[in-house]
Amino acid sequence: MAKSVYTFGGGAVHDDPRAKDKTIVGGKGANLAEMAGIGLPVPPGFTITTEECVSYLQQGADFSAALRAEVAEALTHIERAVGKKFGDADPSGAGPLLVSVRSGARVSMPGMMDTVLNLGLNDATVQGLAATSGDERFAWDSYRRFIQMYSDVVLGLDHGLFEEALEIAKEDHGYLSDTEMLAEDWQELVAEYKRLAEGELGHPFPQDVTEQLWGAIRAVFDSWDSDRAKVYRRLNDIPGDWGTAVNVQAMVFGNMGDTSATGVAFTRDPATGERSYYGEWLVNAQGEDVVAGIRTPQYLTRDARLAAKAELPSMEEAMPEAYAELAAVFDLLERHYRDMQDIEFTVERGKLWMLQTRSGKRTAKAALRMAVDMVGEGLIDEVTAIRRVDPMALDQLLHPMLDPDAPRDVLTTALPASPGAASGKIVLDSDLAEKWANNGDKVILVRVETSPEDIHGMHAAQGILTARGGMTSHAAVVARGMGRPCVSGAAAVSIDMGARSLKIGDRALKEGDLITLDGSTGQVMAGLVPMIEPELAGDFGTLMQWADKHRRMKVRTNAETPEDCRMALAFGAEGIGLCRTEHMFFDAGRIMAVREMILADDEAGRRRALAKLLPEQRADFVEIFTAMAGLPCTIRLLDPPLHEFLPQRDEEFAELAADVGVSVEHLKRRAEELHEFNPMLGHRGCRLGITFPEIYEMQARAIFEAACAVSSKGGDPVVPEVMIPLVATRKELEILRSLVDRVAAEVFAEQGRTLEYLVGTMIELPRAALMAGEIAEEARFFSFGTNDLTQTTLGVSRDDAGRFLAPYVEQGIYPRDPFVTLDVDGVGQLVRLAAERGRATRPDIKLGICGEHGGDPASIRFCEEVGLDYVSASPYRVPIARLAAAQAALG
Ligand code: PEP
Ligand code: MG
């Protein structure tokens, strides 16, 4: 039978591969075992598997005798390794073994689950700890920390209760900070804490160390299903059935005086990717003190301290030996894992201990730089570099940054915790941030410090500003992971929650006021600051070049303005996959002619209005074809229901009536006649072309005249791809293809030149997919319109889904929003089938996708599997698609 508990450190060896398998022992457990294996100083411990968590959460039953026996045996392993006994109260012995109990899922979920430190302390063992450490104060401080943490995490008591008691104790003694508390003060506080706990619980605080241990194990398992963990999993696509492992490890103490310390570090700068050790530490502090943001941490290296003009010494200066050992560990770990590592360490009376290592979270900028640098350093190859960058993370780099030349009204400058710039309305709590963002407002979440409960507010916000906390505070780590700009440790910020207002320095602001953050410099500015376009050369350009070498599918863009075309080309687009011509109809200069066309009583009236639109539409295409310089351009003929263009307000009706010379009443009657009950399934797409052929004639003429004009100027020959939307039958396409062919022949005869062109269709209705074999007889290309194909296959309105989709995804009815990530199981079948049937009829048929899924990495993977020729995405998502297509091709 497979084991449920694996020991590590203290000489533990296993030939069972499960002992280092992240899916079994979690990421933290696997890495602790790995580090111990390569000879790094890891306090001994053991890991209870994720499988035990899953079965505990499913069955809710008590733990089996078999598991209890395995845990007892593993505890003996730790006892033997450190030479102390769990629950040992003998003051003349070696001292009691104390352990930490921590979560550790397959992937790291920073701060989302629970931890208990100093477990094993009670009224008797605290005496033993005092005697063996020779430090009464330390022993009683440890005990009160344990009661506080255990009461909060395991017993569910309000931690505010204990904090209040501590504040009162300090006030009574006239102390300003915790460091002034003496041994006897902590001892008194422990008594008070126990009284408080007993009052709340109705029974005494647990003294039995074994009971303490199982309580903590249970709490860690339970924390897998805490609200914040669930939100984090949803945002990061982490399945709920993975469960977390539990790591029980001998405690080492960073709070045993001035030769002890605790810290967190990255082997490279996680914000910029620069190859410099980067971290924070605190002298005489325990575990969570660094990340909790209560004391402002010190710098790791002398250079970093000097650059920040900080007064307290760096670790390099204060503890040169431990620092040198740590630096050697950094190098070893990078060479071993071939990736940047995020490390937790403790120095106990001069001795370095490694508590954790994992592949570090990083900004997109840092991810790019590290991937490119590590190829240069020979640590990894190009393919690994391509695989290592999350395509969606590129989004962070592709968005505008603050214009360096714009004036800035700087309110304060604090820590640059997560790069990028953001402007928005100040909002002081996470629920309100979410509410305002849902109403379409851009918000900046401003908090004293964030906790894992703020995750929804951070996600809803454009950026985050915190008054406390360092570069590794919760706010900083989570913001970097989410790609939100963040400025932390802004001591000049003071918040008055009661008045919903704040001061930054001496400037008074209130909730709703606009501010701008620059997470790359740490600046906080009043009002909005103009932004500029991002830099696309450098590491970004290098990685993109590598990706381009390895991808098979082309990447086009969905664009209809010359600006969008230029932007997309700069991002590397290789053509237009979808030009939605209707967007050109909304232009202020043209909407009157469009309305006149729609509301005309007869064909003659429509043709009069269309004649006004022709030169405009032709000019659009001239610009687009010129910008795209010979690259393929798919132009879709008019698609949406006509009523979308109709006047809404009385003044608009009046203006149009005067323009066309008919009465307002007449126009309103015509508009009513156009009303549809179900416009998405109504008079739209190719149905417009069938019933009002003159509309498609005008558009086809504009396309061919423009193509001739651009080609005659000696530009690269344009090969227009004319696309007919919402086709369901071969006959529809046959009629409209002949219409386009006829117009092309007319234009070529008039212009005295012939150009190549293609006519094809969108596959966006289930019937079209099923009948693709027949439709391909008329179509030179298919473009999968997966927005409509999803809508019509699922019978879910893409415009109304927002009202009910969230619970659908939460309950796992759909694994993801099917309008964001293609429903491969359902809609995907239709795509696959249409591709096969289309190719069977016409082996050289061009196949692409132009729905929103064309910019979504998971959907792109599917497109590669089906063998599409290209994907098409909005301009900002073109680089994402390039990288995702390369990753898909690499498999
Ligand atoms: C589609 O339906 O997928 C598509 C690209 O067209 P539109 O979004 O314009 O309906
Ligand atoms: Mg569509």
Side-chain angles (χ1 to χ4, degrees), residues 378-392:
L379 272 183
I380 58 172
D381 58 15
E382 274 179 33
V383 169
T384 309
I386 293 169
R387 287 208 172 103
R388 197 166 273 177
V389 178
D390 171 11
M392 290 306 273

Side-chain angles (χ1 to χ4, degrees), residues 613-615 617-619 621-622 625 697-707 743 747:
L613 286 171
L614 174 65
Q617 184 100 99
R618 184 173 54 221
F621 294 136
V622 165
F625 292 150
E697 277 171 25
M698 181 281 285
Q699 292 196 289
R701 176 165 280 277
I703 293 170
F704 293 120
E705 288 182 353
V743 174
V747 173

